[in-house]
Amino acid sequence: MIQCEHVKKEYGRKTALADFSAEFETGKIIGLLGPNGSGKTTLLRMIAGLEMPNSGDIYIDGKRVNDIPASKRGIGFVFQNYALFRYMTVYDNIAFGLKVQKVDKKTIDKRVKELIELIGLKGLDKRYPSQLSGGQRQRVAIARALSTKPELIVADEPIASLDVSIQAQMVNLFRKLQKEQGFSFLFIAHDLSMVEFLCDRTGVMYHGKLVEEGRTKDIFAHPEHEYTKALLAAVPIPDPRIERQKGEVL
């Protein structure tokens, strides 16, 4: 369980999170929705240990983590812009976290090779990020996040910068990896169709607070907060006649 109790985060005069309290179930894929400036990224960065709250407490599996540095929280982080080390190969990017933890070379080699095969980049281990496509770079970022076998991965719009043709592949990869590895996955998204397809649960943030959270199918079928209602109402409803014609063989 990820718990936030009365968390507050300010940047100068701007309040990103105000008296934020929430619980997120572990072992699930959870999507966070909300307008820009609602505090989603700030929340993820604080859970990961990349930002510290001004006040309040964050617990992971009952353990208060406020004073625990990011490197010791056992959390993987996937950034929208990949954040790979430009002068490191695919192999070294994935191995980075393991080396920081001073894992022995034999174990590192075995784990990195397993991950490279798992993400479908076998044979590309000696390439540099500049030699990879956007989708391949994101796969490396995912593998790096998985390298230390975290129980939780947080991701800030992990597919937003990818071509539409690659996004579906990444969504399916996330689902496959989560089922195989059993980690919790908390991520920010703006693509409602991806959230509906991928997420077990969905949280909606608005003005620095979690205004709604529950099973994804319940949120989409019966939204309660006015923002959620407006957001889902903006999703175009397919014309059944057009959808039928798409399936017809001419």
Side-chain angles (χ1 to χ4, degrees):
M1 184 71 71
I2 305 163
Q3 296 169 285
C4 299
E5 295 184 358
H6 306 292
V7 172
K8 185 175 184 180
K9 182 63 179 179
E10 295 177 331
Y11 299 98
R13 295 182 179 180
K14 180 184 177 183
T15 300
L17 292 175
D19 195 29
F20 181 92
S21 294
E23 291 185 357
F24 299 105
E25 190 177 350
T26 53
K28 304 289 184 182
I29 296 181
I30 304 166
L32 283 180
L33 298 173
N36 291 334
S38 61
K40 303 184 301 298
T41 296
T42 299
L43 174 64
L44 289 196
R45 291 180 65 83
M46 286 197 296
I47 290 172
L50 302 175
E51 299 271 359
M52 297 296 117
N54 295 112
S55 61
D57 297 303
I58 298 173
Y59 297 87
I60 298 177
D61 288 337
K63 183 178 182 180
R64 185 177 181 273
V65 297
N66 290 46
D67 303 318
I68 298 177
S71 60
K72 295 184 178 180
R73 290 195 188 187
I75 296 175
F77 201 107
V78 180
F79 299 88
Q80 180 182 346
N81 63 352
Y82 323 127
L84 299 177
F85 298 108
R86 289 188 302 162
Y87 302 112
M88 286 187 185
T89 62
V90 167
Y91 183 101
D92 289 331
N93 264 286
I94 297 172
F96 181 77
L98 295 168
K99 290 178 179 178
V100 169
Q101 292 186 356
K102 301 189 185 310
V103 176
D104 65 271
K105 290 184 178 181
K106 186 176 180 180
T107 302
I108 289 176
D109 188 61
K110 181 182 177 183
R111 180 65 177 157
V112 172
K113 287 178 178 177
E114 285 175 351
L115 286 167
I116 287 174
E117 186 160 354
L118 190 65
I119 61 172
L121 293 182
K122 191 174 181 180
L124 303 184
D125 53 310
K126 294 182 180 179
R127 292 196 183 183
Y128 291 88
S130 61
Q131 298 172 308
L132 303 175
S133 67
Q136 289 172 331
R137 291 179 200 174
Q138 193 62 297
R139 286 172 183 262
V140 176
I142 294 167
R144 184 177 61 184
L146 287 171
S147 65
T148 55
K149 298 185 178 180
E151 294 184 4
L152 169 65
I153 290 180
V154 293
D156 190 354
E157 296 193 65
I159 67 169
S161 60
L162 301 177
D163 292 339
V164 174
S165 60
I166 304 298
Q167 288 183 359
Q169 295 178 23
M170 298 308 300
V171 168
N172 288 326
L173 178 63
F174 281 132
R175 172 60 78 182
K176 174 178 178 290
L177 292 175
Q178 195 274 337
K179 283 185 176 180
E180 292 177 357
Q181 305 282 322
F183 55 82
S184 304
F185 186 37
L186 177 63
F187 75 103
I188 295 170
H190 286 107
D191 187 331
L192 295 177
S193 61
M194 181 185 77
V195 171
E196 189 172 19
F197 171 76
L198 184 62
C199 298
D200 302 305
R201 301 184 70 85
T202 297
V204 182
M205 292 185 64
Y206 192 68
H207 287 248
K209 293 187 177 182
L210 186 74
V211 296
E212 201 160 352
E213 195 276 333
R215 293 193 305 171
T216 298
K217 63 180 182 180
D218 294 336
I219 296 288
F220 275 70
H222 305 290
E224 295 180 359
H225 192 268
E226 292 305 313
Y227 171 76
T228 314
K229 291 177 181 178
L231 180 68
L232 297 179
V235 179
I237 300 174
D239 185 323
R241 293 170 298 177
I242 296 175
E243 295 302 309
R244 260 199 317 272
Q245 288 173 5
K246 287 181 180 178
E248 292 176 358
V249 179
L250 300 177

